[in-house]
mmCIF file of all heavy atoms in Angstrom:
data_model
loop_
_atom_site.group_PDB
_atom_site.id
_atom_site.type_symbol
_atom_site.label_atom_id
_atom_site.label_comp_id
_atom_site.label_asym_id
_atom_site.label_seq_id
_atom_site.Cartn_x
_atom_site.Cartn_y
_atom_site.Cartn_z
ATOM 1 N N PHE A 823 -14.333 -33.314 7.744
ATOM 2 C CA PHE A 823 -15.691 -33.489 8.218
ATOM 3 C C PHE A 823 -16.697 -32.924 7.212
ATOM 4 O O PHE A 823 -16.440 -31.895 6.590
ATOM 5 C CB PHE A 823 -15.893 -32.768 9.533
ATOM 6 C CG PHE A 823 -15.285 -33.464 10.730
ATOM 7 C CD1 PHE A 823 -14.075 -33.039 11.263
ATOM 8 C CD2 PHE A 823 -15.924 -34.589 11.272
ATOM 9 C CE1 PHE A 823 -13.519 -33.696 12.349
ATOM 10 C CE2 PHE A 823 -15.353 -35.266 12.362
ATOM 11 C CZ PHE A 823 -14.139 -34.787 12.903
ATOM 12 N N ARG A 824 -17.818 -33.624 7.099
ATOM 13 C CA ARG A 824 -18.987 -33.071 6.396
ATOM 14 C C ARG A 824 -19.897 -32.469 7.470
ATOM 15 O O ARG A 824 -19.755 -32.730 8.660
ATOM 16 C CB ARG A 824 -19.714 -34.176 5.669
ATOM 17 C CG ARG A 824 -18.917 -34.852 4.538
ATOM 18 C CD ARG A 824 -19.615 -36.058 4.028
ATOM 19 N NE ARG A 824 -19.810 -37.089 5.106
ATOM 20 C CZ ARG A 824 -20.486 -38.202 4.941
ATOM 21 N NH1 ARG A 824 -21.077 -38.462 3.794
ATOM 22 N NH2 ARG A 824 -20.607 -39.064 5.915
ATOM 23 N N GLN A 825 -20.841 -31.645 7.029
ATOM 24 C CA GLN A 825 -21.752 -31.052 8.017
ATOM 25 C C GLN A 825 -22.532 -32.083 8.767
ATOM 26 O O GLN A 825 -22.756 -31.972 10.009
ATOM 27 C CB GLN A 825 -22.710 -30.117 7.293
ATOM 28 C CG GLN A 825 -23.659 -29.332 8.213
ATOM 29 C CD GLN A 825 -22.905 -28.402 9.185
ATOM 30 O OE1 GLN A 825 -22.010 -27.708 8.725
ATOM 31 N NE2 GLN A 825 -23.235 -28.462 10.438
ATOM 32 N N SER A 826 -22.908 -33.167 8.132
ATOM 33 C CA SER A 826 -23.652 -34.223 8.800
ATOM 34 C C SER A 826 -22.797 -34.906 9.856
ATOM 35 O O SER A 826 -23.311 -35.300 10.923
ATOM 36 C CB SER A 826 -24.133 -35.234 7.798
ATOM 37 O OG SER A 826 -23.046 -35.805 7.088
ATOM 38 N N ASP A 827 -21.491 -35.001 9.620
ATOM 39 C CA ASP A 827 -20.605 -35.560 10.612
ATOM 40 C C ASP A 827 -20.535 -34.734 11.851
ATOM 41 O O ASP A 827 -20.570 -35.197 12.991
ATOM 42 C CB ASP A 827 -19.151 -35.682 10.039
ATOM 43 C CG ASP A 827 -19.078 -36.684 8.916
ATOM 44 O OD1 ASP A 827 -19.858 -37.639 8.904
ATOM 45 O OD2 ASP A 827 -18.223 -36.445 8.019
ATOM 46 N N LEU A 828 -20.512 -33.372 11.669
ATOM 47 C CA LEU A 828 -20.453 -32.470 12.799
ATOM 48 C C LEU A 828 -21.761 -32.501 13.583
ATOM 49 O O LEU A 828 -21.740 -32.420 14.809
ATOM 50 C CB LEU A 828 -20.166 -31.017 12.285
ATOM 51 C CG LEU A 828 -18.824 -30.812 11.643
ATOM 52 C CD1 LEU A 828 -18.726 -29.442 11.050
ATOM 53 C CD2 LEU A 828 -17.686 -31.011 12.690
ATOM 54 N N ASN A 829 -22.874 -32.593 12.902
ATOM 55 C CA ASN A 829 -24.165 -32.704 13.581
ATOM 56 C C ASN A 829 -24.183 -33.893 14.544
ATOM 57 O O ASN A 829 -24.604 -33.800 15.675
ATOM 58 C CB ASN A 829 -25.299 -32.848 12.582
ATOM 59 C CG ASN A 829 -25.505 -31.573 11.748
ATOM 60 O OD1 ASN A 829 -24.987 -30.503 12.091
ATOM 61 N ND2 ASN A 829 -26.254 -31.717 10.657
ATOM 62 N N TRP A 830 -23.657 -35.023 14.020
ATOM 63 C CA TRP A 830 -23.707 -36.275 14.813
ATOM 64 C C TRP A 830 -22.699 -36.240 15.943
ATOM 65 O O TRP A 830 -22.981 -36.670 17.066
ATOM 66 C CB TRP A 830 -23.397 -37.457 13.894
ATOM 67 C CG TRP A 830 -23.312 -38.753 14.633
ATOM 68 C CD1 TRP A 830 -22.197 -39.462 14.985
ATOM 69 C CD2 TRP A 830 -24.397 -39.495 15.147
ATOM 70 N NE1 TRP A 830 -22.513 -40.594 15.670
ATOM 71 C CE2 TRP A 830 -23.857 -40.643 15.789
ATOM 72 C CE3 TRP A 830 -25.799 -39.323 15.113
ATOM 73 C CZ2 TRP A 830 -24.646 -41.617 16.389
ATOM 74 C CZ3 TRP A 830 -26.576 -40.276 15.732
ATOM 75 C CH2 TRP A 830 -26.034 -41.380 16.344
ATOM 76 N N GLN A 831 -21.483 -35.676 15.687
ATOM 77 C CA GLN A 831 -20.415 -35.693 16.670
ATOM 78 C C GLN A 831 -20.687 -34.766 17.830
ATOM 79 O O GLN A 831 -20.396 -35.030 18.948
ATOM 80 C CB GLN A 831 -19.082 -35.369 16.016
ATOM 81 C CG GLN A 831 -18.556 -36.416 15.040
ATOM 82 C CD GLN A 831 -17.883 -37.577 15.813
ATOM 83 O OE1 GLN A 831 -17.828 -37.556 17.027
ATOM 84 N NE2 GLN A 831 -17.472 -38.585 15.066
ATOM 85 N N ILE A 832 -21.160 -33.546 17.498
ATOM 86 C CA ILE A 832 -21.179 -32.455 18.495
ATOM 87 C C ILE A 832 -22.474 -32.364 19.231
ATOM 88 O O ILE A 832 -22.568 -32.404 20.453
ATOM 89 C CB ILE A 832 -20.857 -31.120 17.833
ATOM 90 C CG1 ILE A 832 -19.440 -31.169 17.247
ATOM 91 C CG2 ILE A 832 -20.963 -29.966 18.810
ATOM 92 C CD1 ILE A 832 -19.101 -30.002 16.398
#
Side-chain angles (χ1 to χ4, degrees):
F823 285 103
R824 297 170 299 175
Q825 184 62 46
S826 58
D827 295 330
L828 294 174
N829 293 345
W830 176 257
Q831 291 280 358
I832 298 173

